[in-house]
């Protein structure tokens, strides 16, 4: 499944249970994030593990987007048998602090950084 615009691309690979996020997400409010949130909700409901969230190509994410990801992490946390890996890039400034905050929401979440 894929959600693609001129600004961003969200792609889900069911074989590896990986969500790839690329580009720049500057949507206005949760209503505009709804299609992406629905995709993430669907993935969380499948209870497959580990769920991989690959953000290495996501250059920008606004506060509404961070809120959406936080809700996704909380939903995965409630699925006690599901583990989660988040891949980030040290070269993208917003990811350093924000991804560590996701780990605070789900302490068992594994953060992987590119170099």
């Amino acid at each position: 499944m894929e959600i693609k615009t001129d600004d961003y691309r969200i792609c889900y690979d069911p074989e590896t249970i990986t969500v790839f996020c690329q580009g720049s997400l500057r949507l206005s409010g949760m209503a505009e994030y709804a299609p992406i949130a629905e995709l993430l909700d669907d993935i969380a409901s499948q209870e497959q593990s580990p769920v991989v969230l690959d953000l290495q190509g996501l250059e920008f994410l606004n506060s509404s987007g961070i809120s959406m990801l936080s809700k996704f992490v909380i939903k995965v946390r409630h699925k006690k048998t599901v583990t989660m890996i988040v891949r980030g890039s040290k070269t993208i400034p917003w990811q350093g602090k924000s991804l560590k905050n996701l780990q605070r929401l789900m302490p068992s979440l594994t953060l992987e950084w590119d170099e």
Side-chain angles (χ1 to χ4, degrees), residues 2-101:
E2 181 177 53
I3 300 171
K4 185 176 181 180
T5 71
D6 290 341
D7 296 324
Y8 65 87
R9 177 176 176 254
I10 310 296
C11 181
Y12 174 58
D13 179 357
E15 290 187 21
T16 60
I17 319 168
T18 301
V19 180
F20 297 93
C21 300
Q22 300 170 328
S24 182
L25 276 168
R26 300 173 191 267
L27 304 178
S28 299
M30 294 308 288
E32 289 191 19
Y33 277 101
I36 300 169
E38 288 174 19
L39 171 66
L40 297 176
D41 286 349
D42 185 49
I43 294 165
S45 70
Q46 294 174 15
E47 298 196 35
Q48 295 178 316
S49 191
V51 173
V52 180
L53 187 58
D54 190 328
L55 304 174
Q56 292 174 330
L58 190 60
E59 299 288 333
F60 181 84
L61 184 66
N62 65 8
S63 60
S64 294
I66 291 171
S67 177
M68 174 195 65
L69 289 183
S70 297
K71 289 178 181 178
F72 174 60
V73 168
I74 290 169
K75 284 180 184 171
V76 171
R77 182 185 70 194
H78 288 296
K79 310 283 184 188
K80 302 209 181 283
T81 60
V82 179
T83 58
M84 185 170 204
I85 299 168
V86 176
R87 294 183 181 141
S89 173
K90 288 184 176 179
T91 62
I92 301 174
W94 73 268
Q95 292 190 4
K97 184 176 179 182
S98 296
L99 298 188
K100 286 178 184 170
N101 285 337

